[in-house]
Amino acid sequence: MPPSAPPQPPAPPPHHHILKKPTSLPDVIFAAFSLLVLFSNSPKPIFFLPNNNNNNKFSFPLHLRKFPKMSSPFTSSPNPRNPGRLPPLFATPQSLSDWLKPRLGADLFGSWGVKPGTKNVHNLWLEIAEGETFLADSMPPVRTVEVVIVRIVRIDGKVLVESHQKLSNGDVRHRGRPLSEKMKPGESVEAAVFRAVKEELGSLVNVGAPESDEIDDSNGDNRIHRIVKILPGSYVKKVEERLSVSYPGLPACYVLHTVDAEVDGLPEGEFCTEEVDEYGGLDERGVADCAVSCKKHYWKWVDIDSV
């Protein structure tokens, strides 16, 4: 018998044309949104940098972001009450003047020391040099100063206020406020109270004291500590922001430390005290001579409700 024919492979299935449904616009938008969500939620790839021991160079540039430098005349911005802070880079009052003029305007800056009752740039330079004032680099600059306010009260409830001052240039500066003094760097409120009484009332409270008991003796302020009593529970701290009266156009931030105190030996009526040399203890004698200083303080007693 002749060999049977080999089996034929199965016939391929007939081709069917796949009809594609036209893509609608909403489907395209939905697909694009899905891809956007997918890639935005994907973790960022981690790049492993090759070992650079063989001085190999990276094959891609490193783009480091650069931050602009601040145009500040200070080397740092430490706490203004920190006694160890660095002084500002104003070598002279002229350098401070050159820095202030474009930030305040010629008109306002030109009134310093000219307008009655104001101080000049030499005063501000001394405040900064002594650490009493911190000047922020802003437009305009902001002067920050801590002040101790001593409300001297007597038994009838009256409070002592300074009505006005006589300045070294002959001007009269109106005050109408209790005894106040700028604080030194690192100085406590208690120490500032005793120093304020010594400096502004010292010429009066020292009258009649034994020679060995004077307020400027070598043992310190022995007499001042005996005649000044700070009333417990009277301390109040407050921060005020306003334009400086002494330096027109210069905004100021005042950190006020207020206490009530009793001081023995003060007159019952109006009186005045002399400040021998406001800047006598400074090394910058030439600058101090150009500054406006206080020569006399005029005092009176008022009702406590008026302060």
Side-chain angles (χ1 to χ4, degrees):
M1 292 181 61
S4 61
Q8 297 293 327
H15 274 282
H16 297 283
H17 294 289
I18 301 175
L19 299 178
K20 294 184 179 180
K21 182 181 178 181
T23 305
S24 62
L25 182 59
D27 292 337
V28 174
I29 296 177
F30 177 79
F33 178 78
S34 300
L35 290 175
L36 178 62
V37 173
L38 175 64
F39 284 105
S40 62
N41 292 331
S42 301
K44 295 182 179 179
I46 301 176
F47 294 94
F48 293 92
L49 300 181
N51 193 330
N52 201 27
N53 293 335
N54 297 327
N55 298 325
N56 295 327
K57 303 295 183 182
F58 297 131
S59 59
F60 54 90
L62 295 177
H63 299 288
L64 300 180
R65 184 178 180 184
K66 295 182 179 180
F67 294 89
K69 296 182 179 180
M70 295 182 64
S71 58
S72 170
F74 306 100
T75 55
S76 60
S77 298
N79 189 321
R81 305 314 308 167
N82 183 356
R85 71 182 181 91
L86 297 175
L89 298 180
F90 298 123
T92 63
Q94 184 61 49
S95 63
L96 175 59
S97 176
D98 294 340
W99 185 81
L100 284 170
K101 281 181 181 178
R103 290 167 169 79
L104 290 180
D107 293 340
L108 288 173
F109 183 74
S111 66
W112 289 17
V114 177
K115 183 180 178 180
T118 62
K119 298 181 180 180
N120 58 33
V121 70
H122 295 82
N123 292 92
L124 183 59
W125 188 89
L126 289 170
E127 290 180 12
I128 297 173
E130 290 298 300
E132 297 175 341
T133 287
F134 177 74
L135 198 59
D137 184 13
S138 56
M139 293 293 288
V142 177
R143 169 180 173 247
T144 299
V145 57
E146 298 208 26
V147 179
V148 64
I149 299 176
V150 188
R151 299 202 322 164
I152 300 176
V153 297
R154 65 185 189 187
I155 194 170
D156 61 356
K158 299 283 187 177
V159 177
L160 185 68
V161 298
E162 185 180 22
S163 60
H164 59 282
Q165 300 174 344
K166 185 177 180 180
L167 305 180
S168 58
N169 59 2
D171 290 342
V172 174
R173 185 185 186 198
H174 296 280
R175 300 284 282 173
R177 64 184 66 176
L179 169 64
S180 59
E181 187 72 22
K182 292 184 291 295
M183 296 179 66
K184 302 289 185 181
E187 187 176 38
S188 67
V189 174
E190 182 182 22
V193 168
F194 292 126
R195 181 175 60 83
V197 173
K198 173 186 174 181
E199 292 182 358
E200 301 198 6
L201 296 175
S203 64
L204 181 68
V205 296
N206 191 40
V207 175
E211 184 178 352
S212 60
D213 200 29
E214 291 184 352
I215 62 173
D216 56 346
D217 63 355
S218 58
N219 294 326
D221 305 329
N222 292 336
R223 178 171 168 79
I224 288 292
H225 282 72
R226 285 201 295 269
I227 67 174
V228 177
K229 178 185 177 182
I230 300 176
L231 301 183
S234 63
Y235 173 76
V236 175
K237 181 180 179 180
K238 183 172 63 172
V239 177
E240 292 184 359
E241 296 180 353
R242 60 179 184 268
L243 289 177
S244 174
V245 176
S246 300
Y247 308 103
L250 183 64
C253 176
Y254 296 97
V255 183
L256 307 176
H257 304 269
T258 303
V259 298
D260 292 347
E262 296 176 349
V263 178
D264 297 334
L266 296 178
E268 293 185 1
E270 296 184 8
F271 60 93
C272 72
T273 56
E274 295 185 4
E275 192 155 338
V276 179
D277 193 351
E278 185 177 358
Y279 299 110
L282 300 181
D283 296 333
E284 297 83 1
R285 187 68 259 175
V287 178
D289 291 340
C290 297
V292 178
S293 60
C294 179
K295 292 301 183 183
K296 286 187 177 182
H297 304 269
Y298 293 84
W299 309 91
K300 65 179 182 179
W301 297 95
V302 300
D303 293 332
I304 193 169
D305 295 335
S306 63
V307 179

